Amino acid sequence: MLLSQIFGALFGMLAIIFGAFGAHALRKILTSELQSSFETGVKYQMYHAIVLLIIGYNFEFATPLENYIVYCFVIGVFLFSFSIYGLCISRAKGKKIAALGPVTPIGGLFLVTGWGLWLYTFIKDFI
């Protein structure tokens, strides 16, 4: 599915940009705790960018399940990583966007669901 490859490449590119932005431009305004959180968002984004590229080149997308895995990873990265970025930057500026707090674990749940569905593709024949 082209969507997997597009988002994989986009998320990978943005992870590099956001990582550099966090390490250089935000270094002066982020505490070490906030910088660590920001880095976590970048790492998870990059991990899943690579996963989306791998999936894009290896899945046949012949079943809805394979599409659901991609959707879970794309939505999960967006909600998880981007909410962390928003929380870190808003907290550093003294205007924490509290509404983003619950978004991060929802994004994490989408990521876990994507991994669980992918696991299911491997073990379904043994169940």
Side-chain angles (χ1 to χ4, degrees):
M1 169 196 284
L2 187 59
L3 182 71
S4 179
Q5 295 163 334
I6 289 170
F7 275 98
L10 176 66
F11 285 159
M13 178 185 72
L14 290 176
I16 299 299
I17 292 168
F18 294 159
F21 182 67
H24 300 288
L26 296 179
R27 184 181 349 174
K28 295 176 183 174
I29 67 167
L30 295 181
T31 64
S32 60
E33 178 186 348
L34 289 176
Q35 191 162 15
S36 177
S37 292
F38 196 91
E39 288 172 7
T40 297
V42 171
K43 287 177 192 175
Y44 275 64
Q45 182 176 333
M46 182 56 84
Y47 298 153
H48 289 89
I50 295 166
V51 165
L52 284 166
L53 290 171
I54 291 168
I55 286 172
Y57 284 104
N58 288 288
F59 278 11
E60 294 178 18
F61 298 102
T63 67
L65 179 61
E66 293 174 333
N67 292 315
Y68 296 150
I69 294 167
V70 171
Y71 299 147
C72 283
F73 286 145
V74 170
I75 293 166
V77 166
F78 185 75
L79 295 177
F80 183 82
S81 293
F82 285 73
S83 67
I84 289 176
Y85 304 147
L87 282 167
C88 290
I89 293 170
S90 66
R91 280 183 63 195
K93 293 188 172 205
K95 299 177 182 180
K96 181 181 175 187
I97 304 172
L100 290 177
V103 174
T104 307
I106 293 169
L109 184 59
F110 272 96
L111 295 175
V112 169
T113 301
W115 284 103
L117 292 173
W118 199 4
L119 173 64
Y120 177 73
T121 67
F122 299 124
I123 64 171
K124 69 181 180 209
D125 296 331
F126 299 109
I127 298 176

